[in-house]
Amino acid sequence: MTQPDITVYGAFWCPDCHRSKSFLGEHQIPYAWVDIEEDESGEAFVIEANDGKRRIPTLVFGDGSVLTNPSNAELAEKLGLKTTADRHHYDLIVVGGGPAGLTAALYAAREGIDTLVIERAAFGGQAAATMHLDNVPGFVDGVSGQEISSRFRAQAERFGVELLQANEVVEIHHHDNYHCVETSDGSEYSALVVLLTVGTKYRRLGVVGEEDYLGAGVHFCATCDGPFYKGRDVAVVGGGNSATEESLFLTRFADRVTLLVRGGELTASRIIAEKVLEHPQIDVRFHTEVEGFEGAESKLHGIRVRNTETGETETLRLPGAFIFIGLDPNTAWLQGSEIELDGYGFIRTGHDLVHDGSRPARFGEREPAILETSVPGVFAAGDARTLSTKQVASAAGEGAAATLMIREYLKSH
């Protein structure tokens, strides 16, 4: 583990503490956590640092400076995250900085295409929060998500790609030869081509108590929040690759991990499933469905579960639960735009747009390229695209392929 240069003083019940922790977690920035309700010296420090007031979160940085309840913008500035682009027009704007987006940007820059990448969180996407990747070509012994993400970023920067971080695209519109994106800070950037590599986010259970205990016992990132459970017992919900991989990761900290699987078997790849089933610190409970979360004083105390075969219910007395039950595309902001989505919110491209005999109106007699969306000059790649495989290697491949199509598009525009 990286030695943190940041210490966050706060309490589990504090929503602003959760916001600051989430911001740091999204950007893969390590930090130490001190709960001032359990640490008297931590509480005394907060009171002293804030002129006698018990104000949280209080963040202390490696240089000795202190920020109290900073906004996300203030945190981004303190951390040196670039949130404003150098110009307002580019040949290509890539929305999303995961494997697909960064690979596309690398290929574009090498082709002399002036490229801006806009990423709302940490570069690397879901891959950055994955403990270990064994199926990326070229890494014989596997590679951590953080390492491969930093390599993606460094290679893109080497070829002059401009990277904009901690800023979210909230709208896209089109006029004449230009595609324009608006970001959450009110800035607008235009380009001849836009590539959407917006990725996915973890799906929630939607049960009682889930929202109440977010960041206070209910989590979606083992890398971010696993260290809080050193020496304790936790649950993981899900039976696929993400749930099993993160269960293995959590054994680094937790004494015991209980894996709650709704079905009768693990759907993860065989190798990972076998590791989980044989691991002495992991208990797997099949036919188990989460019905709700229970707690007090803004801390999770238990998980209410039901056996789907017998109907019996019980409450597991556990302080932490990590949810990994699937992914939803980060495309809510595209609803109502000209970009066509399928019934699940994934971006439709290429043949999927014309297989029923119709053709998007803007294309005239031309058919969309394989990775082109319903708007000419707007492409999509990676996990948020319909029929994508949700794998790092294929996302990177789609990013490279998209850039080759973009190159041909720019020749005539």
Side-chain angles (χ1 to χ4, degrees), residues 75-140:
L75 259 180
E77 181 179 1
K78 174 63 182 176
L79 295 168
L81 303 179
K82 185 176 181 181
T83 60
T84 304
D86 293 339
R87 304 189 312 281
H88 286 278
H89 180 74
Y90 296 81
D91 296 333
L92 168 64
I93 292 177
V94 180
V95 183
L102 292 177
T103 301
L106 162 66
Y107 269 65
R110 292 183 73 251
E111 292 282 343
I113 299 171
D114 191 21
T115 303
L116 170 69
V117 178
I118 305 176
E119 167 56 51
R120 61 171 293 276
F123 287 105
Q126 293 283 10
T130 302
M131 177 189 70
H132 193 76
L133 297 164
D134 264 328
N135 56 358
V136 178
F139 293 91
V140 178

Side-chain angles (χ1 to χ4, degrees), residues 62 118 144 153 161 164 176 210 240 266 272 287-288 290 293 305 336 376 380 397 400 402:
I118 305 176
S144 72
R153 175 176 182 166
V161 174
L164 187 61
D176 303 313
E210 185 176 30
L266 297 175
I272 299 174
H287 305 292
T288 303
V290 175
F293 297 97
V305 299

Side-chain angles (χ1 to χ4, degrees), residues 240-241 243-248 257 259 261 266 268 270-284:
N241 282 330
T244 49
E245 288 172 356
E246 301 303 342
S247 293
L248 291 167
V257 176
L259 183 61
V261 185
L266 297 175
R270 182 176 59 84
I271 293 176
I272 299 174
E274 288 176 353
K275 287 182 179 179
V276 166
L277 293 170
E278 295 171 358
H279 202 288
Q281 290 174 255
I282 300 177
D283 295 325
V284 182

Side-chain angles (χ1 to χ4, degrees), residues 7 15 35 49 76 80 124 137 147 164 230 233 244 248 277 324 360 379 384 395:
T7 301
D35 187 337
E147 180 182 349
L164 187 61
K230 189 173 181 62
D233 296 348
T244 49
L248 291 167
L277 293 170
F324 301 104
F379 294 76

Side-chain angles (χ1 to χ4, degrees), residues 11-12 33 44 84 96 99 105-106 116 138 144 153 200 223 226 271 289 297 315-316 323 326 328 342 382-384:
F12 270 118
W33 165 252
T84 304
L106 162 66
L116 170 69
S144 72
R153 175 176 182 166
T200 55
T223 305
I271 293 176
E289 187 172 49
E297 298 178 349
T315 298
L316 306 178
I323 316 301
D328 289 317
D342 69 12
D383 290 3

Side-chain angles (χ1 to χ4, degrees), residues 9 18 21 70 90 103 111 138 141 187 217 219 233 249 258 261 291 296 361:
Y9 293 84
H18 173 60
K21 287 165 56 183
Y90 296 81
T103 301
E111 292 282 343
D141 298 317
S187 300
H219 309 278
D233 296 348
F249 175 73
T258 300
V261 185
E291 290 194 330

Side-chain angles (χ1 to χ4, degrees), residues 190-338:
S190 63
L192 297 175
V193 181
V194 169
L195 174 61
L196 302 173
T197 56
V198 294
T200 55
K201 61 179 176 295
Y202 288 112
R203 189 173 297 155
R204 296 187 179 183
L205 291 165
V207 298
V208 174
E210 185 176 30
E211 291 289 331
D212 297 333
Y213 298 104
L214 289 179
V218 176
H219 309 278
F220 298 87
C221 178
T223 305
C224 309
D225 298 320
F228 300 143
Y229 295 93
K230 189 173 181 62
R232 308 172 79 182
D233 296 348
V234 299
V236 171
V237 182
N241 282 330
S242 294
T244 49
E245 288 172 356
E246 301 303 342
S247 293
L248 291 167
F249 175 73
L250 285 167
T251 61
R252 295 184 179 187
F253 311 103
D255 281 351
R256 184 156 296 278
V257 176
T258 300
L259 183 61
L260 306 177
V261 185
R262 185 169 58 179
E265 61 181 5
L266 297 175
T267 58
S269 64
R270 182 176 59 84
I271 293 176
I272 299 174
E274 288 176 353
K275 287 182 179 179
V276 166
L277 293 170
E278 295 171 358
H279 202 288
Q281 290 174 255
I282 300 177
D283 295 325
V284 182
R285 294 184 52 156
F286 294 109
H287 305 292
T288 303
E289 187 172 49
V290 175
E291 290 194 330
F293 297 97
E294 302 172 353
E297 298 178 349
S298 299
K299 292 183 181 180
L300 181 70
H301 290 171
I303 307 165
R304 191 168 65 255
V305 299
R306 180 176 66 89
N307 185 299
T308 58
E309 289 188 316
T310 67
E312 294 181 359
T313 62
E314 65 175 305
T315 298
L316 306 178
R317 296 300 174 185
L318 296 169
F322 292 79
I323 316 301
F324 301 104
I325 57 169
L327 303 167
D328 289 317
N330 294 316
T331 56
W333 63 282
L334 290 171
Q335 296 284 349
S337 72
E338 293 185 60

Side-chain angles (χ1 to χ4, degrees), residues 138-161:
F139 293 91
V140 178
D141 298 317
V143 61
S144 72
Q146 288 188 346
E147 180 182 349
I148 197 168
S149 298
S150 66
R151 289 182 179 227
F152 276 129
R153 175 176 182 166
Q155 195 170 13
E157 288 180 318
R158 175 189 165 202
F159 287 98
V161 174

